[in-house]
Amino acid sequence: MATTEPRVEPIHTARLELILLHESHAEEMVAVLADPILYQFTGGEPPERDALRRRYRRQVAGSPRPGELWWNWVIRLPSEGCLVGFTQATVSPPSSHRRVEVAWVLGTPWQGHGYAREAAGALTTWLVAHHALGEVVAHIHPDNHASAAVATSIGMAVTDLWRDGERRWRLVT
């Protein structure tokens, strides 16, 4: 049976590689996500390796919701030869106004170097260039000034909409 699902591919920037998520990435990502400070605004705690492997297996399998797509990448820093975070996009089912929600997380040792901005910007640029979307959104805790700065730098604007204590940021495509 032929699929109409858009093609997802690796994304490259000047300093980073966004590599399609695979279950085996859990081995390295468990250390990247180990700092409890990463969960200050989102809740939760650092994952254990087996739990992260199961999560990645579910993410790679895709959304159980008809028409919704889950696209996930790990962020690799070639100059250090290691993974440093992840980015993801959840694409709503096709309609007259298709939306994609993006998110990014960078391990604490790699924060403050512009990597999150570079990865989120590359992801957003790729999404807009390759897929018919009405808007790109992110939900960011109001005290997470670093993520708000990333959203601003990639052209998103804060809205008056809230979800689960987070403000919606929006880029109209």
Side-chain angles (χ1 to χ4, degrees):
M1 173 192 286
T3 179
T4 59
E5 187 172 308
R7 180 185 167 123
V8 182
E9 56 197 27
I11 302 169
H12 300 275
T13 72
R15 301 182 296 167
L16 304 172
E17 298 173 344
L18 279 64
I19 302 167
L20 298 175
L21 180 69
H22 187 272
E23 172 184 340
S24 65
H25 289 127
E27 300 302 317
E28 187 173 350
M29 286 298 293
V30 74
V32 174
L33 302 174
D35 189 344
I37 197 77
L38 290 175
Y39 308 91
Q40 176 182 4
F41 300 116
T42 60
E45 58 189 36
E48 294 181 1
R49 181 175 287 108
D50 290 342
L52 190 58
R53 185 178 273 282
R54 286 190 300 274
R55 180 188 317 161
Y56 286 176
R57 188 178 307 131
R58 285 190 308 273
Q59 289 176 335
V60 169
S63 175
R65 295 182 184 144
E68 182 179 81
L69 303 172
W70 288 350
W71 296 337
N72 299 277
W73 295 261
V74 289
I75 303 168
R76 183 173 183 274
L77 183 59
S79 65
E80 293 186 21
C82 63
L83 300 179
V84 299
F86 68 86
T87 188
Q88 55 192 180
T90 301
V91 185
S92 66
S95 70
S96 62
H97 184 76
R98 196 163 200 190
R99 176 183 345 174
V100 61
E101 183 166 341
V102 296
W104 51 85
V105 172
L106 212 63
T108 52
W110 301 279
Q111 293 178 7
H113 301 283
Y115 299 140
R117 176 194 43 76
E118 190 171 333
L123 173 62
T124 303
T125 298
W126 181 84
L127 288 166
V128 171
H130 293 88
H131 303 287
L133 303 170
E135 66 180 339
V136 178
V137 301
H139 289 90
I140 300 172
H141 190 282
D143 294 331
N144 190 341
H145 303 295
S147 280
V150 168
T152 299
S153 75
I154 65 172
M156 295 181 127
V158 68
T159 72
D160 292 333
L161 300 174
W162 290 80
R163 186 180 78 191
D164 298 328
E166 296 181 325
R167 297 281 305 264
R168 176 177 287 177
W169 288 72
R170 180 174 184 241
L171 172 68
V172 178
T173 63

